[in-house]
Amino acid sequence: MRLQKFPKIHADWLSKTFAGVFLGFAFSVCIGAIVTVLSFTRMEAVLAPQMGMWTIPWIWCPLLFLAYFIPRGWQAIVIYSLATMLAYILLLLLRG
């Protein structure tokens, strides 16, 4: 039986770190804003920003961790950039 070959994970840590830290943070802040916008109708107005604020590290830390498992650094930057753009478009649509 042959073992399946997986793509090699390259050690271009600088671009992966950039993607995880900056683009992952931008994405997680946007998700926190989406959670805040959606929480205003379901909970008190005082608690909704806290809910959005505390979702940021729960999104950002796994994104920073997962950036190093993407095979190439430029792929991590493209994936995180597209995800961030889609999240901000969704936020703009929700805010009206």
Side-chain angles (χ1 to χ4, degrees):
M1 178 174 14
R2 286 183 131 180
L3 293 176
Q4 184 179 11
K5 283 188 117 179
F6 292 105
K8 183 179 178 185
I9 297 176
H10 295 271
D12 46 353
W13 59 270
L14 189 61
S15 56
K16 291 178 183 182
T17 302
F18 171 77
V21 171
F22 294 109
L23 296 174
F25 181 71
F27 179 76
S28 62
V29 167
C30 184
I31 296 298
I34 290 171
V35 168
T36 303
V37 167
L38 294 176
S39 297
F40 272 122
T41 59
R42 292 176 176 80
M43 62 178 57
E44 293 183 34
V46 178
L47 295 177
Q50 289 289 319
M51 185 72 169
M53 180 186 73
W54 286 106
T55 58
I56 293 172
W58 289 99
I59 304 294
W60 187 23
C61 290
L63 285 176
L64 180 60
F65 171 74
L66 290 173
Y68 295 102
F69 288 101
I70 298 175
R72 298 191 190 277
W74 66 268
Q75 290 173 339
I77 291 173
V78 168
I79 290 169
Y80 281 29
S81 296
L82 289 175
T84 303
M85 284 190 295
L86 290 175
Y88 275 101
I89 289 170
L90 177 64
L91 178 64
L92 289 174
L93 291 175
L94 284 175
R95 290 188 71 187

